[in-house]
Amino acid sequence: AQSVTQPDIHITVSEGASLELRCNYSYGATPYLFWYVQSPGQGLQLLLKYFSGDTLVQGIKGFEAEFKRSQSSFNLRKPSVHWSDAAEYFCAVGPDMRFGAGTRLTVKP
Amino acid sequence: DSGVTQTPKHLITATGQRVTLRCSPRSGDLSVYWYQQSLDQGLQFLIQYYNGEERAKGNILERFSAQQFPDLHSELNLSSLELGDSALYFCASSVASGTYNEQFFGPGTRLTVL
């Protein structure tokens, strides 16, 4: 069965610092992988997705993620965090659309 | 604004009751997905409809049902409500049926069961 794990429930970074949010998945074949962001009181917005091809995926808002098959990981990165990036981030694996528990990002001024 | 609308925004009801949540997809989108987000279970996929037909089922309880109408709007019916059904229910839409297509999420309906 598909599953996705986000090991970090809450991360705090300083504005301007780099960010990496971890995601590990379990799936028999190459899955569809997604990162979504949820701002307080809002629905989810897709940041980026991976199905095949180049393992480094660029998304919106300056985010990128790298698919590493050997580590069953799809970590999200951003080189310089902005205060507006504070939100909840969800990794998801398809096609069954299983979501991780989410990582809440706090940005310190 | 994703273009997906959900009504109502908030719903408060009692155990044992039945409610209907409504979703209008983005213009041109044929697929509608329903999700439940709760503190206990996290974010869970419930069901997908594509052009009026059920396409995929997730962790949807038998007390819950959904349908997609000819105008492509969708309704999620929740019956015999229990306290544990209190959650945020999201609708999402996409242009086609495969989950690799980008899904656009609505703002959600917050259901409180007392």
Side-chain angles (χ1 to χ4, degrees), chain A:
Chain A
Q2 299 173 28
S3 67
V4 57
T5 303
Q6 293 180 248
D8 305 305
I9 294 173
H10 184 205
I11 282 183
T12 299
V13 300
S14 298
E15 190 167 16
S18 63
L19 170 70
E20 182 168 28
L21 302 182
R22 296 183 291 163
C23 173
N24 293 99
Y25 69 90
S26 172
Y27 188 62
T30 299
Y32 308 147
L33 294 162
F34 309 83
W35 274 102
Y36 283 87
V37 61
Q38 183 179 27
S39 297
Q42 302 204 10
L44 281 73
Q45 181 183 24
L46 181 68
L47 289 174
L48 46 79
K49 59 184 178 181
Y50 172 81
F51 306 130
S52 64
D54 192 345
T55 57
L56 186 61
V57 181
Q58 301 297 320
I60 62 170
K61 305 186 180 188
F63 286 93
E64 67 176 28
E66 186 170 11
F67 170 62
K68 292 186 176 180
R69 185 190 302 275
S70 61
Q71 298 176 20
S72 297
S73 69
F74 188 58
N75 294 348
L76 182 71
R77 300 194 294 250
K78 186 168 184 176
S80 177
V81 169
H82 188 260
W83 65 266
S84 60
D85 293 324
E88 187 98 20
Y89 291 80
F90 292 92
C91 181
V93 58
D96 289 358
M97 295 310 293
R98 290 187 184 271
F99 284 79
T103 297
R104 184 160 60 93
L105 173 65
T106 298
V107 180
K108 289 191 303 186

Side-chain angles (χ1 to χ4, degrees), chain B residues 55-108:
Chain B
R55 190 75 175 196
K57 248 181 179 177
N59 297 326
I60 189 165
L61 299 172
E62 284 192 13
R63 299 184 285 109
F64 296 0
S65 65
Q67 53 184 329
Q68 187 179 26
F69 295 87
D71 67 353
L72 300 176
H73 91 270
S74 178
E75 293 181 355
L76 179 67
N77 300 296
L78 314 176
S79 61
S80 303
L81 285 168
E82 303 175 359
L83 296 177
D85 297 327
S86 295
L88 197 49
Y89 291 84
F90 287 109
C91 166
S93 73
S94 67
V95 63
S97 61
T99 51
Y100 46 79
N101 294 288
E102 180 172 359
Q103 295 182 32
F104 295 86
F105 281 73

Side-chain angles (χ1 to χ4, degrees), chain B:
Chain B
D1 183 359
S2 67
V4 178
T5 60
Q6 290 187 247
T7 56
K9 278 190 176 179
H10 302 276
L11 198 48
I12 301 174
T13 188
T15 54
Q17 295 299 304
R18 174 190 169 95
V19 297
T20 297
L21 313 183
R22 183 188 167 102
C23 168
S24 293
R26 290 189 325 154
S27 176
D29 283 359
L30 298 179
S31 260
V32 169
Y33 304 78
W34 285 98
Y35 294 88
Q36 178 195 60
Q37 185 177 35
S38 67
L39 290 175
D40 290 344
Q41 305 285 337
L43 191 57
Q44 292 194 99
F45 164 64
L46 296 179
I47 196 163
Q48 178 200 359
Y49 276 80
Y50 174 72
N51 205 20
E53 300 290 326
E54 183 183 304
R55 190 75 175 196
K57 248 181 179 177
N59 297 326
I60 189 165
L61 299 172
E62 284 192 13
R63 299 184 285 109
F64 296 0
S65 65
Q67 53 184 329
Q68 187 179 26
F69 295 87
D71 67 353
L72 300 176
H73 91 270
S74 178
E75 293 181 355
L76 179 67
N77 300 296
L78 314 176
S79 61
S80 303
L81 285 168
E82 303 175 359
L83 296 177
D85 297 327
S86 295
L88 197 49
Y89 291 84
F90 287 109
C91 166
S93 73
S94 67
V95 63
S97 61
T99 51
Y100 46 79
N101 294 288
E102 180 172 359
Q103 295 182 32
F104 295 86
F105 281 73
T109 292
R110 183 168 295 283
L111 173 66
T112 302
V113 182
L114 301 176

